[in-house]
Amino acid sequence: MSVDWKDNEPVPYAALCKTFETIESTTKRLEIQKHLTSLFTRVVEKNPEDFLTVIYLCLNRVCPEYENHELGVGESLLIKSIAETTGRKPAKVKEELSKWGDLGKVAKDSKTTQPTLFVPKPLTVKVVFDKMKIIAGISGHDSQERKVREIKFLLTACRGKEAKYLIRSLEGKLRIGLAEQTVLTSLAQSIVKDPAQKLSRAKETEESTEASEIVKSAYSEVPSYDIIVPILLKYGVKGLEERCKLKPGIPVKPMLAHPTKSITEVLDRVEGHKFTCEFKYDGERAQVHMLEDGTLKIYSRNLEDSSTKFPDIIERMSQIVKPDTKSFVLDCEVVAWDPEKECLLPFQILSTRKRKDVKEKDIKVIVCLFAFDLLYLNGESFLKKPLEERRQHLINAFQEVDNKFSFVRHMNATNTEEIQTFLDESFKCNCEGLMIKVLDGQESTYEPSKRSRNWLKLKKDYLSGVGDSLDLVVIGAHLGRGKRTNVYGAFLLACYNPEEEKYQTICKIGTGFSDVSLENHFKFLKEHEISAPRNYYDYDKGANPDVWFEPVQVWEVKAADLSISPIYKAAVGMVDHNKGVSLRFPRFIQVREDKKAEDATTCEQVAEMYRSQFNNSENMQL
Ligand code: ATP
């Protein structure tokens, strides 16, 4: 039974939590979709003003992703708030957490056993959302106390299951199996639904599929519900197509590449197309925006505003931009550069740069910007244009400046030998390998946020057999012995299962660390130790570490190969009925500061890597 409310009245938080509960109780995608669409439709009908708030609460965000205000209240603060609200001892709350691995459940149970003297007003979605925004924005002096005060206000007013979802939201992740794609589809369905219009079932499905494609495409171009939802409410889905277009100042979700393991594989994939090979530079992705008013912004791979990390790039843009270029969105790689020897330096050097508020006078690591794509120019979006045309505009609108800005080196190769020669050359220039891209036709458009087969990466790693390194989340550690006493000696890593929102263990790793890096990991991860594994960690007791961590850091790891494992859970059920996949001889490469835990290698990718070990026996030798 859903929770109802009157027209024009604020949407009760209970109605949202009831939908969360129903969604959590099923794994069937269509059912999840149905429940969410039903809630969204009622919100649109009864109180559209709350629609945006409901969407944000479903996604557990307080603002567009690129504004980077994370909720993520720490475990100890939440335990304190629960204890103080319910009169329980913090130690008791901790004990319950160890038992259940879900602080949300612990909060709900603690509230149930708590005697209530007076009953506060029921919570509305607006009150909860406004408070969450306040909590996310609290910093500085007294911040802990102020956060606890706000959390206690909300917790006191929670009824029934609300405490469970409230605490999970504050932790930073709802974990009810609700993917953003589902939210986007329901968003489209709730707008398209018109009860007065009697459509046949087939017609309704067709319209709803088309609508959800439009909404998803609009979102990957303009990843802001603040912009999309009001347009949808006012002009409907068709209106979105016309009014919601890429524009400078709002980062586009970057197009990603598909790993390959040999030139033969590359040629098979691009057969029948004109294609181009570009050097794959070993740096950091940067989307450079110039707004109409001349403001410059730089966004990272995960849409973080990194303008204050690169004041030197901002400063040099006036030399690079040709006079007729008034506004643009440029896709580039920033690479550490040695201006004396005029050569590229490895990513490790770049990673020593401070992450924000860099002062030009303090800069020690010089960088050069390598541009490979142009997504927008002077008021026009180029996303749907073929790469060949985008490249031409790129070359026309900008100019190379020694040691500062360059177009990526490219060659429109046609056969194995040419690619091989160009690949060798990329290695000599300290690049990671090549990016091979379809150059013309429909398949060469820019596909925001997609890991596309129209962009292939051919890296040095493919020679080691795995094809690509993996980006994995550190979820636990074993205490060090001998030389490693006082630091962690080995770590438990996991890949991500986005469907189930779980981290699946993949290997234990103790190789590739210097003494200094072990000390740094210890310092950082110690702060993120948790008292019990989360209930969204998929692990086997046989791989139990000494300590567990919150899923906060991603590591790049290389391995000799992948094998089936009775202990690890990565891609379980995907390549073997009940066994998972693990990495053999894993070696730590580096921390991936530019990836969030949810951007880690997925179980799907792990399964594909495992399978491709057998499909691709003609691995090329250099
Ligand atoms: P992914 O981004 O595919 O999840 P990743 O972050 O580990 O994986 P890589 O495997 O190194 O990245 O490959 C893609 C990245 O390569 C791009 O995000 C971009 O930063 C970088 N890159 C370097 N040169 C180019 C180029 N010529 N074209 C596109 N991307 C390039």
Side-chain angles (χ1 to χ4, degrees), residues 254-259 277-286 301 331-335 370-373 408-409 431-435 437 451 455 457 459 461 468-471 556 592 594-595 599 601 605:
M255 179 164 173
L256 303 172
H258 201 83
C277 301
E278 295 176 352
F279 273 13
K280 184 177 185 313
Y281 294 83
D282 187 14
E284 193 177 307
R285 190 136 182 189
R301 181 194 184 281
D331 207 353
C332 313
E333 188 81 351
V334 183
V335 193
F370 290 87
F372 51 81
D373 220 320
V408 291
R409 266 192 67 186
C431 283
E432 279 190 302
L434 299 180
M435 295 287 285
K437 301 176 180 176
R451 189 172 295 286
W455 275 23
K457 49 185 174 184
K459 290 163 82 168
D461 308 322
D468 201 357
S469 51
L470 292 93
D471 297 320
E556 182 177 354
R592 289 292 307 249
D594 60 337
K595 283 200 169 182
D599 298 324
T601 301
Q605 288 173 290

Side-chain angles (χ1 to χ4, degrees), residues 320 330 368-369 371 398-407:
I320 296 163
L330 199 59
C368 185
L369 192 62
F398 298 86
Q399 60 204 0
E400 294 192 315
V401 177
D402 282 353
N403 296 322
K404 291 190 172 173
F405 178 83
S406 171
F407 302 117

Side-chain angles (χ1 to χ4, degrees), residues 122-133:
L123 288 169
T124 61
V125 288
K126 181 162 175 4
V127 167
V128 174
F129 184 66
D130 288 348
K131 284 284 180 203
M132 281 188 175
K133 265 179 52 178

Side-chain angles (χ1 to χ4, degrees), residues 309-323:
K309 180 176 178 179
F310 297 113
D312 43 345
I313 294 183
I314 301 271
E315 203 271 331
R316 75 182 59 159
M317 288 313 288
S318 57
Q319 291 169 266
I320 296 163
V321 176
K322 287 194 184 161

